[in-house]
Amino acid sequence: MKPVNEILNNNKEKLRLTGLSKEELENMALAFGEKKFRASQIASWLYIKSVSSFEEMTDIKKDFREKLSQNAIITDIKIKTKQISTDGTLKYLLEFKDGNTAECVLMRFDNRANLTACVSSQIGCAMGCKFCATGQRGFIRNLEPYEILEQILTIQRDTGLKVTNVVFMGQGEPFNNYQNMMKAIKLINDCLMIGIRRITVSTCGIVPKIVQIAEEELVPTLAISLHAPNSILRKQIMPVEIRHNIEDLKKALKFYTEKTGKRVTLEYILIGKLNDTKECAAELAHFMKDLKCNVNLIPYNPVSFCPEFKKPDKKNIMKFKYILETSGKKVTVRLERGADIDAACGQLRGKVER
Ligand code: SAH
Ligand code: SF4
């Protein structure tokens, strides 16, 4: 982004406020001839109360509010579609300034006060997983830090609710957009005041980045899209296995858990008759034994381009879970959230654009 002063001197382009750090907001206030402390008031309106207009910032003087509306904008992101599931899950398709779209989802689990936003990190994805609608459509571009943050803010503005947890489980491979993801995480933590333990990044297993993130100052929780218990099967469904194999992945996960003390979550899609067998369960239980982890089983959500992949039988899900539990790890089966509105990876965007 251009420096605040430069933008203020150039009338053609308005300054976008969301995505600015506390320091950048302070510089902006000073550039307008205002006191530094105005920045924290503005930050609170932008990130906590999530207003859509400067008029709503009632503790800011009128003439400063007018200057702000002449020179700055709060957002330039549009809600293209919004779907509400019978279970309360909300799914948004957002349109960015360049016309590209990405989705984000708001989930409420049980009656708990937690509100989880699921955000996208890229438009499309280059990793090409066989079961994934996003992966099959290829990569378009990385999202900027403010575009990641804006997904949460748009949800907050639209619902009037405050998001408490964030998961990077929408479109894209967050570790292929590492710097922007880390900047977004810092903003989410600093400005939206969401604790780092409430931020989870899901990756298909980019080994060097797992090592790198373990050494960051701010380390989010890690979820790994494992989906197969051995290299041969994983290669069939996830091309990433060719570059970063499951043995190296395990070494990196051990490094992460030892360095950070955190547990990792293994995500495992159960695809009927492919990876949902007793043998796979036993092999996965063995894989997990010496790893500080828990596992989340995800019944496969069929996508039209991939008719050879089927949903698992309900009986097999329970058998698989039972075998895994012999490893002593916590095993959960992901509830189908928003199944009636296609709130699974990449599906809404696919439908709107087809
Ligand atoms: N690229 C990252 C983040 C995306 S998370 C990653 O892969 O981890 C999206 C999650 O949804 C991943 O665990 C992905 O494997 C899963 N997913 C993709 N397609 C799916 C489908 N058809 N059914 C169920 N889960 C799916
Ligand atoms: Fe990309 Fe994740 Fe989909 Fe694989 S599952 S193609 S890594 S978004």
Side-chain angles (χ1 to χ4, degrees):
M1 208 192 72
K2 288 185 190 159
V4 174
N5 282 329
E6 203 178 298
I7 293 178
L8 291 181
N9 293 333
N10 163 8
N11 291 328
K12 274 183 254 144
E13 193 181 350
K14 284 194 175 184
L15 177 69
R16 186 186 304 100
L17 293 194
T18 53
L20 295 188
S21 65
K22 283 190 183 148
E23 298 73 45
E24 284 170 319
L25 283 174
E26 281 175 359
N27 287 342
M28 180 208 63
L30 293 175
F32 276 114
E34 295 288 335
K35 295 258 162 48
K36 251 189 184 180
F37 78 91
R38 295 281 173 211
S40 54
Q41 289 176 313
I42 295 176
S44 160
W45 288 113
L46 289 176
Y47 298 123
I48 308 296
K49 296 171 206 137
S50 305
V51 294
S52 316
S53 70
F54 293 109
E55 289 85 80
E56 291 165 82
M57 301 184 173
T58 46
D59 58 3
I60 307 278
K61 288 183 300 197
K62 196 158 180 258
D63 65 324
F64 186 26
R65 282 196 321 239
E66 277 166 10
K67 272 193 252 169
L68 282 171
S69 32
Q70 279 158 19
N71 294 286
I73 54 163
I74 293 182
T75 182
D76 50 14
I77 283 167
K78 291 192 213 116
I79 297 177
K80 204 165 171 191
T81 62
K82 172 180 165 185
Q83 290 175 281
I84 306 173
S85 161
T86 48
D87 66 19
T89 301
L90 290 178
K91 177 156 169 160
Y92 296 87
L93 183 74
L94 303 185
E95 185 176 309
F96 298 106
K97 206 176 159 208
D98 65 354
N100 271 308
T101 58
E103 63 205 7
C104 59
V105 177
L106 179 69
M107 296 166 285
R108 171 177 264 151
F109 291 103
D110 311 324
N111 295 321
R112 277 181 276 160
N114 284 356
L115 282 176
T116 302
C118 170
V119 300
S120 296
S121 56
Q122 299 182 310
I123 311 269
C125 178
M127 301 315 290
C129 301
K130 296 280 186 334
F131 47 78
C132 172
T134 309
Q136 291 308 304
R137 297 168 57 85
F139 172 70
I140 299 171
R141 72 166 171 88
N142 283 328
L143 290 179
E144 296 294 325
Y146 87 87
E147 291 174 319
I148 298 173
L149 190 75
E150 269 292 339
Q151 297 172 51
I152 307 163
L153 293 175
T154 305
I155 290 175
Q156 293 192 161
R157 278 184 217 117
D158 186 60
T159 59
L161 300 167
K162 174 83 180 67
V163 166
T164 61
N165 297 59
V166 177
V167 294
F168 283 73
M169 290 190 185
Q171 270 180 53
E173 170 47 53
F175 280 0
N176 282 350
N177 187 16
Y178 189 88
Q179 278 195 327
N180 288 351
M181 172 198 73
M182 286 310 293
K183 279 190 194 155
I185 289 175
K186 180 137 182 37
L187 287 166
I188 294 167
N189 185 238
D190 259 13
C191 300
L192 271 71
M193 297 204 248
I194 297 179
I196 191 67
R197 272 178 303 167
R198 292 174 174 266
I199 304 174
T200 300
V201 174
S202 176
T203 175
C204 64
I206 315 280
V207 167
K209 300 293 181 198
I210 296 173
V211 173
Q212 187 175 345
I213 207 162
E215 299 190 293
E216 295 281 355
E217 217 172 289
L218 263 183
V219 189
T221 305
L222 205 57
I224 302 294
S225 291
L226 192 69
H227 307 329
N230 61 55
S231 195
I232 295 172
L233 193 51
R234 201 162 188 261
K235 245 183 229 156
Q236 283 177 31
I237 55 177
M238 299 179 76
V240 66
E241 178 67 22
I242 298 165
R243 229 159 140 204
H244 303 296
N245 69 50
I246 195 165
E247 291 310 318
D248 291 344
L249 177 59
K250 186 159 176 186
K251 282 185 208 144
L253 292 179
K254 280 196 157 172
F255 178 79
Y256 173 94
T257 56
E258 278 156 23
K259 183 95 194 166
T260 66
K262 290 175 186 248
R263 194 180 302 281
V264 292
T265 297
L266 303 181
E267 298 165 280
Y268 192 99
I269 302 180
L270 286 167
I271 306 175
K273 300 196 172 63
L274 185 83
N275 65 356
D276 65 341
T277 60
K278 281 188 285 192
E279 292 73 27
C280 284
E283 211 174 343
L284 182 58
H286 180 74
F287 180 88
M288 296 196 309
K289 234 177 192 141
D290 55 345
L291 197 61
K292 188 169 176 183
C293 68
N294 48 268
V295 63
N296 192 7
L297 300 174
I298 312 166
Y300 173 64
N301 200 334
V303 283
S304 55
F305 61 84
C306 208
E308 72 270 28
F309 290 169
K310 307 269 185 246
K311 273 188 170 209
D313 283 347
K314 285 235 165 71
K315 264 197 307 203
N316 280 4
I317 301 177
M318 294 333 284
K319 259 193 230 158
F320 201 94
K321 182 169 187 266
Y322 182 75
I323 297 170
L324 276 191
E325 277 166 345
T326 61
S327 67
K329 309 288 181 190
K330 187 172 165 213
V331 185
T332 48
V333 179
R334 186 181 291 177
L335 292 171
E336 273 196 274
R337 307 301 303 181
D340 52 333
I341 57 166
D342 283 344
C345 185
Q347 293 189 357
L348 177 69
R349 178 166 167 269
K351 274 201 178 156
V352 170
E353 290 187 354
R354 250 196 304 273

